[in-house]
Amino acid sequence: MLKRHARAACTALAAAGLLLAGTGGATADPAPPAPSAATTLRTADAPPELLAAMQRDLGLTPAQAKARLVHEAEAGATAARLRARLGAAFAGAWVEGADAGTLTVATTRAADAPAIRAAGARAAVVTRTLADLDTARAALDRAATAATPVRYVDPRSNTLVVEEAEAGAAAGLLAATGTDPALVTVVRTAEAPRPLYDLRGGDAYYMNGSGRCSVGFPVTKGTTNGFATAGHCGRAGTTTSGFNQVAQGSFQASVFPGSDMAWVAANAQWTATPYVKGSGGANVQVTGSVLQPVGASVCRSGSTTGWHCGTIQQHNTSVTYPEGTISGVTRTTVCAEPGDSGGSYISGSQAQGVTSGGSGNCSSGGTTFFQPLNPILSAYGLTLKVSGSDPGPGPGDPEPGGTWKAGTVYATGATVTYGGAGYRCLQGHQAQTGWEPPNVPALWQRI
């Protein structure tokens, strides 16, 4: 489906070029084609270790693993453009198929279906908007207990799913909040999500010389090196030592529950690198922080169980742990065990988030939740350490005016100006040199 969209786009560009050439006068050199989403997210640079883990855990062939990363990147960009176009009628999007080659976009307006299909996606006409279901979920969050530990919007069924650990708990929650039962699908669960305190994500670190968690993603703040991790691993002032038990740094800020985010500032002996520890200890490069769509592949690095992959099930999920509720986390099929907390979730080369908690294990399988990274970067003014970024303008090259700024975390729908034009953010990310709005149509739409 996405390949047809690409051909249509190329045809449209070619037609536009013919019209311009027929206006007479001097013929300008044609503008270079805009880079695809897959080019922007550098899917071709996926390391062999990541591809091998995807093949193992998702049952893919080598060709399917490579194709999946390309399709997921293009699907994310297409879904983002359609979300901006559909506005309040948007009801979610997801990818399917072994190679994620099918994108479905849901809307509450039947009249939107032709535009969705023209963009290369399948159209699903449903009765409830994503915003309506998110509003209902937020109401449940305020009254939820550990008896209804997980709540999320499922775009595929166009319902709000409530997992209950005790018979009747979901019905009681709906009654207490006045939520229409027709909006809800109840799922019985025997699992009890918990923070994975003794975890690692990338490399291990130790808190106050005792408990162990995992480094999420290396970051900088000004000249200070450090890393993002899970808030339940420590509070502001908690000291840390590294995987080698050498003094490392201390927690600067931490939030848990509510969210599950924190960052650690390292001392001068430690330097942030743009890598996640992959299978067999190999370095997996990080090139950005574009959150991938529901159904996309995602891999996790942890100090207890190492490198495992799965798929993204739902974004903006709420989970009630014994310690309290956290909201805005992403639900995945990746397994994890104690010791993996705080560790890295990465899709292709795009940083996704840090391990929060979950249920099950890596022998029988399980469900885990990650705290998305972009809110951590934004909350604490951190800059993700990335590899291979464009060096930017050379000496004497003018910087176009505008409000866009590298290092800023932009949410979907944010608007900026650059070079005299306005742009709307299609996919949330932290801006970096080389990702200026005109250069990355997968991330920015001119308005």
Side-chain angles (χ1 to χ4, degrees):
M1 301 295 287
L2 294 172
K3 293 179 179 177
R4 289 203 296 271
H5 169 57
R7 286 197 295 269
C10 291
T11 301
L13 287 172
L18 289 173
L19 288 173
L20 289 172
T23 58
T27 301
D29 292 335
S36 68
T39 299
T40 296
L41 303 188
R42 299 180 63 185
T43 61
D45 295 336
E49 296 79 13
L50 182 143
L51 294 170
M54 290 174 63
Q55 293 166 47
R56 179 195 67 197
D57 294 342
L58 297 175
L60 305 178
T61 66
Q64 286 174 327
K66 292 179 181 179
R68 185 172 184 121
L69 294 178
V70 172
H71 291 162
E72 289 168 356
E74 300 301 340
T78 300
R81 295 187 189 102
L82 285 169
R83 180 172 189 166
R85 177 170 180 170
L86 301 182
F90 179 73
W94 60 95
V95 293
E96 294 176 299
D99 63 357
T102 301
L103 168 67
T104 301
V105 175
T107 178
T108 56
R109 291 190 302 245
D112 293 330
I116 293 172
R117 289 192 289 267
R122 288 181 177 175
V125 180
V126 297
T127 58
R128 308 176 187 98
T129 69
L130 185 63
D132 288 342
L133 291 172
D134 274 335
T135 298
R137 180 196 50 77
L140 297 182
D141 290 352
R142 292 188 285 271
T145 68
T148 51
V150 178
R151 301 152 308 279
Y152 56 85
V153 172
D154 178 19
R156 295 178 178 90
S157 65
N158 193 228
T159 63
L160 175 59
V161 177
V162 177
E163 295 187 1
E164 63 175 10
E166 302 171 6
L173 178 61
L174 301 186
T177 57
T179 301
D180 182 358
L183 299 178
V184 176
T185 298
V186 178
V187 176
R188 188 66 184 272
T189 180
E191 299 176 344
R194 69 205 184 282
L196 302 173
Y197 282 99
D198 296 327
L199 319 185
R200 167 202 196 183
D203 278 324
Y205 70 92
Y206 300 85
M207 300 82 70
N208 288 336
S210 56
R212 172 170 57 88
C213 274
S214 301
V215 174
F217 289 94
V219 298
T220 59
K221 185 169 185 177
T223 59
T224 300
N225 289 265
F227 58 89
T229 189
H232 73 258
C233 289
R235 297 302 184 197
T238 299
T239 60
T240 68
S241 56
F243 65 90
N244 51 7
Q245 299 286 2
V246 172
Q248 182 188 66
S250 64
F251 279 72
Q252 301 300 296
S254 174
V255 177
F256 178 79
S259 298
D260 198 358
M261 60 174 69
W263 86 281
V264 172
N267 61 39
Q269 291 180 272
W270 297 81
T271 301
T273 67
Y275 303 115
V276 166
K277 186 176 183 179
S279 180
N283 286 334
V284 176
Q285 68 175 345
V286 178
T287 66
S289 62
V290 179
L291 193 65
Q292 295 299 287
V294 168
S297 60
V298 67
C299 297
R300 177 194 55 74
S301 180
S303 59
T304 297
T305 58
W307 185 251
H308 288 274
C309 298
T311 59
I312 293 172
Q313 292 181 298
Q314 286 85 26
H315 292 304
N316 203 22
T317 297
S318 302
V319 183
T320 301
Y321 298 132
E323 295 84 352
T325 293
I326 61 171
S327 298
V329 293
T330 295
R331 183 173 184 257
T332 78
T333 64
V334 187
C335 69
E337 296 181 11
D340 293 325
S341 277
S344 324
Y345 276 80
I346 188 167
S347 182
S349 65
Q350 297 301 301
Q352 300 296 293
V354 300
T355 303
S356 174
S359 55
N361 56 53
C362 287
S363 296
S364 59
T367 298
T368 56
F369 307 91
F370 68 76
Q371 163 70 55
L373 179 64
N374 283 325
I376 305 178
L377 301 177
S378 181
Y380 302 133
L382 308 174
T383 299
L384 176 65
K385 192 74 173 180
V386 297
S387 63
S389 60
D390 188 280
D397 293 342
E399 279 283 1
T403 59
W404 180 89
K405 184 178 180 181
T408 301
V409 176
Y410 291 106
T412 300
T415 57
V416 299
T417 57
Y418 184 88
Y423 294 86
R424 178 181 294 108
C425 180
L426 294 174
Q427 301 187 78
H429 64 284
Q430 183 169 54
Q432 54 182 282
T433 302
W435 280 10
E436 293 80 5
N439 298 337
V440 284
L443 305 180
W444 292 98
Q445 180 182 58
R446 185 165 178 163
I447 55 177

PDB file of all heavy atoms in Angstrom, residues 28 49 212 222 224 251 384:
ATOM      1  N   ALA A  28      14.900  26.607 -14.676  1.00  0.00           N
ATOM      2  CA  ALA A  28      15.701  26.425 -13.464  1.00  0.00           C
ATOM      3  C   ALA A  28      16.022  24.955 -13.279  1.00  0.00           C
ATOM      4  O   ALA A  28      15.286  24.083 -13.729  1.00  0.00           O
ATOM      5  CB  ALA A  28      14.939  26.948 -12.248  1.00  0.00           C
ATOM      6  N   GLU A  49      23.104  -6.625  14.432  1.00  0.00           N
ATOM      7  CA  GLU A  49      22.623  -7.187  15.701  1.00  0.00           C
ATOM      8  C   GLU A  49      21.144  -6.891  15.905  1.00  0.00           C
ATOM      9  O   GLU A  49      20.382  -7.738  16.395  1.00  0.00           O
ATOM     10  CB  GLU A  49      23.439  -6.615  16.867  1.00  0.00           C
ATOM     11  CG  GLU A  49      24.909  -6.985  16.857  1.00  0.00           C
ATOM     12  CD  GLU A  49      25.729  -6.145  15.888  1.00  0.00           C
ATOM     13  OE1 GLU A  49      25.217  -5.103  15.397  1.00  0.00           O
ATOM     14  OE2 GLU A  49      26.876  -6.523  15.612  1.00  0.00           O
ATOM     15  N   ARG A 212      20.123  -2.130  41.563  1.00  0.00           N
ATOM     16  CA  ARG A 212      20.643  -1.988  40.199  1.00  0.00           C
ATOM     17  C   ARG A 212      19.535  -1.638  39.219  1.00  0.00           C
ATOM     18  O   ARG A 212      18.437  -2.181  39.277  1.00  0.00           O
ATOM     19  CB  ARG A 212      21.310  -3.301  39.761  1.00  0.00           C
ATOM     20  CG  ARG A 212      21.719  -3.333  38.287  1.00  0.00           C
ATOM     21  CD  ARG A 212      22.583  -4.544  37.985  1.00  0.00           C
ATOM     22  NE  ARG A 212      21.944  -5.803  38.333  1.00  0.00           N
ATOM     23  CZ  ARG A 212      21.154  -6.490  37.509  1.00  0.00           C
ATOM     24  NH1 ARG A 212      20.874  -6.020  36.302  1.00  0.00           N
ATOM     25  NH2 ARG A 212      20.625  -7.636  37.880  1.00  0.00           N
ATOM     26  N   GLY A 222      24.033  21.141  28.540  1.00  0.00           N
ATOM     27  CA  GLY A 222      25.171  22.034  28.492  1.00  0.00           C
ATOM     28  C   GLY A 222      26.440  21.219  28.319  1.00  0.00           C
ATOM     29  O   GLY A 222      26.565  20.416  27.393  1.00  0.00           O
ATOM     30  N   THR A 224      27.467  19.114  30.666  1.00  0.00           N
ATOM     31  CA  THR A 224      27.349  17.967  31.563  1.00  0.00           C
ATOM     32  C   THR A 224      26.885  16.734  30.809  1.00  0.00           C
ATOM     33  O   THR A 224      25.913  16.782  30.052  1.00  0.00           O
ATOM     34  CB  THR A 224      26.359  18.269  32.701  1.00  0.00           C
ATOM     35  OG1 THR A 224      26.821  19.397  33.448  1.00  0.00           O
ATOM     36  CG2 THR A 224      26.209  17.070  33.631  1.00  0.00           C
ATOM     37  N   PHE A 251      21.386  11.311  40.711  1.00  0.00           N
ATOM     38  CA  PHE A 251      20.108  11.721  40.156  1.00  0.00           C
ATOM     39  C   PHE A 251      19.914  13.216  40.371  1.00  0.00           C
ATOM     40  O   PHE A 251      20.062  13.724  41.486  1.00  0.00           O
ATOM     41  CB  PHE A 251      18.958  10.961  40.839  1.00  0.00           C
ATOM     42  CG  PHE A 251      18.728   9.570  40.311  1.00  0.00           C
ATOM     43  CD1 PHE A 251      19.618   8.544  40.595  1.00  0.00           C
ATOM     44  CD2 PHE A 251      17.606   9.286  39.551  1.00  0.00           C
ATOM     45  CE1 PHE A 251      19.406   7.253  40.123  1.00  0.00           C
ATOM     46  CE2 PHE A 251      17.372   8.004  39.063  1.00  0.00           C
ATOM     47  CZ  PHE A 251      18.286   6.984  39.345  1.00  0.00           C
ATOM     48  N   LEU A 384      19.534  14.579  23.505  1.00  0.00           N
ATOM     49  CA  LEU A 384      19.882  13.198  23.224  1.00  0.00           C
ATOM     50  C   LEU A 384      21.202  13.135  22.468  1.00  0.00           C
ATOM     51  O   LEU A 384      21.412  13.871  21.507  1.00  0.00           O
ATOM     52  CB  LEU A 384      18.767  12.549  22.400  1.00  0.00           C
ATOM     53  CG  LEU A 384      18.990  11.120  21.922  1.00  0.00           C
ATOM     54  CD1 LEU A 384      19.060  10.162  23.101  1.00  0.00           C
ATOM     55  CD2 LEU A 384      17.874  10.711  20.954  1.00  0.00           C
TER      56      LEU A 384
END
